[in-house]
Amino acid sequence: MKDETERPGDMMNIRFGICGLGFAGSVLMAPAMRTHPHAVIAAACDPNEDVRTRFGRQYGVPVYAALGDMLAAGGLDAVYVASPHQFHREHVVQAAARGLHVIVEKALTLNLGDADRMIDATREAGVHLVVGASRSHDPVIRTMRHLIRSGEVGRVAMVNCFNYTDFLYRPRRPEELDTAQGGGIVYNQLPHQIDSIKAITGKRVLAVRAMTGRLDPARPTEGNCAALLTLEDRVAATVVYSGYDHFDSDEMHFWIAEGGRDKKPGHGSARRVLRQLADKPEAQLRRERYSFGGPVSRAMEQGDEGRRQPHFGVMLVTCEYADLRAAPEGVLVYGDEGVREVAALAGRGSFGQGDTIDELYDAIAGRSPVLRDAAWGKDTVQVCLAILESSRTGRQIDLQGR
């Protein structure tokens, strides 16, 4: 079910410059921009000469080694920041100073001081910023939010998020296994769940009680987490995540992969790849497999034909009159009279990344304000920091007044 009513004057195109041509920028977002009715890839930048040259050739756009060079060339309306976490503040501030709107990959940043600087920079420049945590932009999240806001299912009381993946055993650069540099699941995976909970409920997280784990000394960062979140109006949420490549929770979601494609069971397959290719440095293996033009990139160039809506593990939402769960094409509503399916509210572009573009487009066009703005991103970072603090101290962390 499309949710795409246009108004006169809405038919503009946003000219994007992509900052960072890693997996998020070149494999996930660039194809979504190419097919979105209101997005144009106008330029890109990346320090890797080979990657940026190949990208520029395939997309027919000018490419640059650094963001400053791309900005100086002009011709942009917005920048998609997909650089490593530690550069987000610098790159957002640079783009805002040029009067450009921003989509920035999650997590917004790694500390609250940088988040405040990004809030100030975008506010002073009068530009919009969208935090592109794509899974919270998915149709299933929008549809659950709509059902709750309509009053049809009554007051929301509880959200349970449960996801088991191979995240920690995909080939990694050294900094991706260092929590201080944004590595591990806390900054890379938990924001999907935290943002989905916030988007569905419309409530802020007030307190956090959590335990995280580091189960593999060879990968010394958080790989699992169990957390209890207390939200406004006595709403409770649980966050469970494991990236250790043993159980796969897609088994509990109709064997549909996170991106919406049919999936075959492959328990432990990421670990096996690392063992079989152990003669190669892991950073090199990551470049070969996940960078622009690699096998993962080519496999994802199938387009959206046959694709069902994406998801992020199993999510159950308990409301006053019904429980809600993601289905392949919509939301299952378990109510007093049995089970029914509500079709998903789909956006104008491809699932997830296309919906992120929609949020920025709608703000620029004056259709609706940004939900996931810089203040939203700071709030999510604060929850991530509280999860780490709670696990370290064994205490509940109260976020009220922080």
Side-chain angles (χ1 to χ4, degrees), residues 161-179:
C161 301
F162 179 92
N163 203 6
Y164 278 60
T165 75
D166 63 359
F167 176 80
L168 209 63
Y169 289 86
R170 301 166 197 168
R172 295 294 173 196
R173 300 185 303 271
E175 67 269 22
E176 293 180 298
L177 298 173
D178 180 356
T179 305

Side-chain angles (χ1 to χ4, degrees), residues 78-377:
V79 174
Y80 170 59
V81 176
S83 51
H85 302 302
Q86 59 266 35
F87 299 114
H88 284 185
R89 177 192 57 79
E90 173 189 344
H91 291 159
V92 166
V93 170
Q94 284 188 56
R98 294 273 184 168
L100 301 179
H101 305 290
V102 178
I103 294 175
V104 58
E105 262 300 317
K106 54 82 192 154
L108 177 69
T109 185
L110 301 179
N111 64 76
L112 301 183
D114 281 355
D116 285 333
R117 183 69 188 94
M118 295 156 88
I119 291 170
D120 291 342
T122 52
R123 182 179 297 146
E124 291 165 6
V127 298
H128 299 290
L129 180 148
V130 175
V131 181
S134 56
R135 293 288 73 91
S136 79
H137 292 255
D138 287 340
V140 63
I141 305 301
R142 181 188 296 116
T143 307
M144 288 181 176
R145 177 180 173 87
H146 173 75
L147 286 167
I148 291 167
R149 289 169 68 89
S150 73
E152 180 180 347
V153 294
R155 183 180 69 85
V156 62
M158 182 170 66
V159 183
N160 289 299
C161 301
F162 179 92
N163 203 6
Y164 278 60
T165 75
D166 63 359
F167 176 80
L168 209 63
Y169 289 86
R170 301 166 197 168
R172 295 294 173 196
R173 300 185 303 271
E175 67 269 22
E176 293 180 298
L177 298 173
D178 180 356
T179 305
Q181 297 187 68
I185 68 167
V186 175
Y187 293 110
N188 291 286
Q189 296 295 281
L190 300 192
H192 288 306
Q193 295 174 309
I194 296 164
D195 283 352
S196 294
I197 290 165
K198 289 162 55 182
I200 289 168
T201 64
K203 311 295 183 185
R204 184 171 180 268
V205 179
L206 301 180
V208 174
R209 184 67 182 262
M211 288 294 294
T212 62
R214 299 184 178 194
L215 304 182
D216 184 347
R219 309 184 86 71
T221 185
E222 288 75 21
N224 65 284
C225 175
L228 173 64
L229 310 183
T230 302
L231 287 78
E232 296 169 316
D233 297 331
R234 297 181 60 80
V235 177
T238 59
V239 170
V240 173
Y241 190 96
S242 172
Y244 282 107
D245 193 32
H246 289 139
F247 181 68
D248 183 346
S249 53
D250 287 339
E251 181 176 332
M252 303 169 70
H253 190 80
F254 318 102
W255 280 119
I256 297 173
E258 177 183 324
R261 303 285 182 192
D262 289 337
K263 182 177 185 178
K264 294 181 179 179
H267 303 290
S269 58
R271 287 174 177 263
R272 287 193 292 277
V273 168
L274 287 183
R275 289 197 300 270
Q276 292 164 2
L277 300 176
D279 57 319
K280 288 188 177 183
E282 198 167 326
Q284 177 186 342
L285 183 60
R286 176 170 176 75
R287 284 195 303 272
E288 292 177 356
R289 290 181 62 82
Y290 285 88
S291 67
F292 179 70
V296 175
S297 174
R298 292 195 299 272
M300 298 182 73
E301 290 176 354
Q302 305 172 55
D304 283 344
E305 185 177 353
R307 183 185 180 198
R308 273 77 70 82
Q309 68 169 335
H311 66 97
F312 198 69
V314 177
M315 177 179 291
L316 288 168
V317 182
T318 296
C319 300
E320 191 174 4
Y321 307 131
D323 290 328
L324 311 178
R325 181 193 175 191
E329 309 290 349
V331 173
L332 295 173
V333 180
Y334 298 77
D336 293 349
E337 305 302 320
V339 185
R340 61 188 175 90
E341 184 169 346
V342 175
L345 294 169
R348 292 179 289 269
S350 60
F351 295 139
Q353 281 72 24
D355 296 296
T356 302
I357 297 168
D358 279 350
E359 184 161 339
L360 181 62
Y361 171 85
D362 288 344
I364 296 172
R367 302 181 71 205
S368 58
V370 171
L371 175 64
R372 301 161 188 84
D373 60 9
W376 169 287

